Amino acid sequence: MSDNPYSGSAVKRSAGHFLVGKIVSALLTFTILLWLVRLLNVPDYATYVTLAVSLDMTLFISGIGLPWMESRYLPEFRLHASKTILIRFIVQLIQSQVALLLLVAISAWLCLDWLLLKMNMTAYSEVVQLCLIMLVVDGTGRRLRDSTLSALLQQGLAQISLVIRNLLFIIALAILVYSGEVSLIHVITADLLAASVSLLISLVGLWRHLKRINISENPNWIAPKWSQMWAVARNMYFSSMVTQAYSSQVFTLIIRYNLGVEATAAFGFLRNLYSQVTSYLPATLLFGLIRPKLIASYVGDGGIVELTRNANIIGKFSLFVLMPLLVFAWLMGEQLVAQLSGGKFPQSGYYLAGLLCAAIPLSQRQILETVAVLTGNSHLCNYASLLGILTLPMAYGLIQIGFDLWAPIIATALGNLLFCSTIAKGVTKNTLYHADLLGYYKMLLAALLGYLASMLIIFPAQGWVSIIAVAILACCTFLLAAAIIKPFSETERLRINQLIKRNLFIW
């Protein structure tokens, strides 16, 4: 058995923990999402959405590239440093993150009256104060789960911590419902308690892991300087920060400021559904496993040819999973949103389908970023991010002329498309990489044919039975159309069948 903490068996074990934990946490998260939209009234839910996206943005901004530093250098320290140096490095990273979160929280506390006035949330002063405590507690917990423990291949501990957090939150909500004390401040208090327990589990688990590991220091290894590590963090942070300027979180705040609480609540609920879908597409969900495969295919004997082949098959398979969901959303999106929200957002139109259209280029983003970095074209990520800023004033202009929620949806789709197309064109121009555009077009054509065929078959009905029947219909018509059009090449079908060890993939 290999002593390498990043051996194949260790990666496989961590991947198993990751997948199991993600499935369980996805079910719990979806339960929380649907329950909260029913428990809270529209103004309170709009405020909850606003606070949630503000928390996400603040955590991202306060990271200053530390997640990139951890993912790049923590494995190196784990492999080559002594136990003392490794622990000191981890403690320094945690201290840096906590100090930044405290600085941001205190600054926000001092400016709280002005912030509440600007966001028309003066009635929620106590709730926002609790959220500032949540910023420090949950921010530290997220960093431990998503960066530190992941970089150490401790996905089992990370997923247990996340599942327990969500489970405790659901139990707390059940207690609130039973006692009749359901208000926004009670919900935030319950969330804070769950986050605190999760943070404690992560800290204790990390301490126990570091205590029991045995490390043989590499005498030839020279620890990277902090200036070198901060340079990596700074470069990647810049691109991510620019992209964050026109993210769905920013659009949510723009909607609250311009369209009011009802539009904010509706868009927040739709955005949560959109995030659930995009987070569990294959290229996103398994990216921690996909990225090493792409890197190995390029730095090994395969070079750009093997990198192109793997990037195309991964990108198309992710799109293959998204397409039937998109067909279903165009067919039954309004009824689905009405049912999931408990009737609070019955006039959602095709908003959900529009957001899922924005997920088409987004499903390729991380793949293209990896290709750009591997081929020495990481500067394209900065150019693509800067170009996407154009969508921010466009969204504001569309809101002013009456596009309402279609404004951020159009801007989100255009921003994703600009980012991905800029990188794809730049890498194609500078290298021998070529995206399989014909395969992608065939996938879109199969979705269109599946939608048209379903429209001819579908019958008017209401309720969950109708929704489930149309979901099955959308999936079947798309798969039939794709089986005829064949968006995957013969080589790609063979490789997928070899992977699943069954001759079942015919598309």
Side-chain angles (χ1 to χ4, degrees):
M1 184 176 177
S2 175
D3 293 330
N4 187 341
Y6 298 94
S7 64
S9 60
V11 172
K12 186 176 181 180
R13 182 173 58 255
S14 184
H17 294 156
F18 174 80
L19 290 174
V20 173
K22 277 295 183 182
I23 292 172
V24 176
S25 63
L27 295 174
L28 295 175
T29 301
F30 196 63
T31 300
I32 293 170
L33 168 65
L34 299 186
W35 205 358
L36 284 178
V37 78
R38 286 168 166 78
L39 289 178
L40 299 175
N41 57 44
V42 172
D44 281 358
Y45 185 74
T47 302
Y48 180 82
V49 168
T50 304
L51 293 174
V53 299
S54 300
L55 182 65
D56 289 341
M57 289 177 57
T58 306
L59 289 176
F60 182 86
I61 294 170
S62 62
I64 61 169
L66 283 173
W68 286 100
M69 184 189 296
E70 284 183 310
S71 62
R72 166 61 184 87
Y73 290 106
L74 193 50
E76 183 176 342
F77 274 79
R78 176 64 180 88
L79 287 170
H80 302 298
S82 66
K83 189 172 183 176
T84 302
I85 294 177
L86 172 64
I87 293 175
R88 184 170 65 235
F89 180 59
I90 293 174
V91 170
Q92 288 172 331
L93 289 172
I94 295 175
Q95 287 175 337
S96 299
Q97 186 62 74
V98 172
L100 287 167
L101 290 172
L102 284 172
L103 178 62
V104 172
I106 293 172
S107 300
W109 195 295
L110 295 174
C111 303
L112 191 59
D113 292 338
W114 178 81
L115 291 172
L116 292 173
L117 185 63
K118 283 295 181 181
M119 297 305 299
N120 298 320
M121 292 170 55
T122 52
Y124 295 96
S125 177
E126 292 184 8
V127 174
V128 176
Q129 291 174 14
L130 274 179
C131 285
L132 293 180
I133 301 174
M134 172 75 79
L135 173 66
V136 179
V137 174
D138 197 39
T140 306
R142 289 193 199 185
R143 183 66 62 240
L144 286 173
R145 289 193 305 268
D146 300 339
S147 296
T148 308
L149 294 175
S150 296
L152 294 171
L153 282 188
Q154 293 300 301
Q155 281 292 347
L157 175 58
Q159 296 305 317
I160 287 173
S161 173
L162 180 59
V163 168
I164 290 177
R165 184 202 191 287
N166 290 335
L167 187 59
L168 287 176
F169 190 26
I170 290 176
I171 293 173
L173 289 179
I175 294 173
L176 290 175
V177 172
Y178 180 78
S179 62
E181 297 288 343
V182 181
S183 65
L184 184 55
I185 192 167
H186 292 119
V187 169
I188 298 298
T189 302
D191 199 9
L192 177 58
L193 290 174
S196 300
V197 174
S198 176
L199 172 59
L200 181 61
I201 292 172
S202 297
L203 286 173
V204 173
L206 176 61
W207 174 76
R208 292 182 62 184
H209 170 70
L210 294 175
K211 184 178 179 181
R212 68 172 179 261
I213 59 176
N214 295 316
I215 298 179
S216 299
E217 183 179 3
N218 184 352
N220 298 321
W221 178 71
I222 300 176
K225 297 180 180 178
W226 278 98
S227 59
Q228 177 185 348
M229 293 189 287
W230 279 117
V232 173
R234 182 176 61 249
N235 290 335
M236 299 308 298
Y237 182 63
F238 174 78
S239 174
S240 301
M241 272 296 296
V242 174
T243 305
Q244 190 71 13
Y246 51 91
S247 64
S248 59
Q249 290 93 330
V250 172
F251 289 141
T252 302
L253 299 180
I254 292 175
I255 289 170
R256 180 173 183 103
Y257 189 77
N258 290 275
L259 299 179
V261 295
E262 291 188 5
T264 304
F267 184 76
F269 183 71
L270 293 168
R271 174 188 166 273
N272 286 334
L273 294 177
Y274 165 77
S275 298
Q276 286 293 305
V277 172
T278 55
S279 297
Y280 290 92
L281 292 176
T284 306
L285 177 64
L286 302 175
F287 190 67
L289 306 175
I290 289 171
R291 178 162 50 186
K293 175 63 178 176
L294 292 176
I295 295 173
S297 66
Y298 181 71
V299 301
D301 297 332
I304 191 66
V305 175
E306 189 65 17
L307 175 64
T308 300
R309 189 177 293 126
N310 287 326
N312 280 326
I313 193 171
I314 294 168
K316 287 198 294 184
F317 190 77
S318 194
L319 203 60
F320 183 76
V321 174
L322 175 62
M323 286 297 100
L325 298 176
L326 181 59
V327 173
F328 170 64
W330 281 108
L331 292 169
M332 295 289 286
E334 184 166 346
Q335 288 192 39
L336 177 66
V337 172
Q339 289 287 338
L340 292 177
S341 65
K344 287 191 175 179
F345 311 118
Q347 303 299 321
S348 60
Y350 293 102
Y351 292 147
L352 179 60
L355 278 172
L356 292 186
C357 286
I360 294 175
L362 181 65
S363 67
Q364 312 299 307
R365 172 168 178 153
Q366 289 181 310
I367 300 170
L368 290 171
E369 284 179 324
T370 303
V371 171
V373 170
L374 284 175
T375 56
N377 291 278
S378 59
H379 61 281
L380 293 172
C381 298
N382 292 334
Y383 295 147
S385 299
L386 290 170
L387 189 60
I389 291 181
L390 296 174
T391 62
L392 193 58
M394 185 193 74
Y396 182 79
L398 290 175
I399 289 176
Q400 297 305 311
I401 62 178
F403 273 69
D404 295 334
L405 292 186
W406 276 113
I409 292 172
I410 293 172
T412 300
L414 183 59
N416 292 339
L417 184 61
L418 283 173
F419 187 93
C420 292
S421 59
T422 299
I423 295 179
K425 288 181 179 179
V427 173
T428 301
K429 180 180 179 181
N430 298 333
T431 69
L432 296 178
Y433 171 82
H434 290 285
D436 183 12
L437 295 180
L438 179 60
Y440 290 117
Y441 293 149
K442 285 183 176 181
M443 199 87 69
L444 296 174
L445 178 60
L448 176 60
L449 293 176
Y451 172 75
L452 295 175
S454 298
M455 286 292 292
L456 296 175
I457 302 173
I458 196 172
F459 53 91
Q462 299 291 330
W464 280 110
V465 174
S466 174
I467 290 174
I468 294 172
V470 173
I472 296 173
L473 176 64
C475 185
C476 291
T477 53
F478 167 74
L479 291 177
L480 179 60
I484 297 172
I485 297 174
K486 304 288 187 189
F488 292 88
S489 67
E490 182 65 34
T491 303
E492 290 171 337
R493 289 194 292 273
L494 179 61
R495 296 183 68 178
I496 294 174
N497 283 323
Q498 288 175 342
L499 180 64
I500 63 177
K501 301 185 187 309
R502 296 285 189 278
N503 192 26
L504 299 175
F505 198 83
I506 62 173
W507 296 277

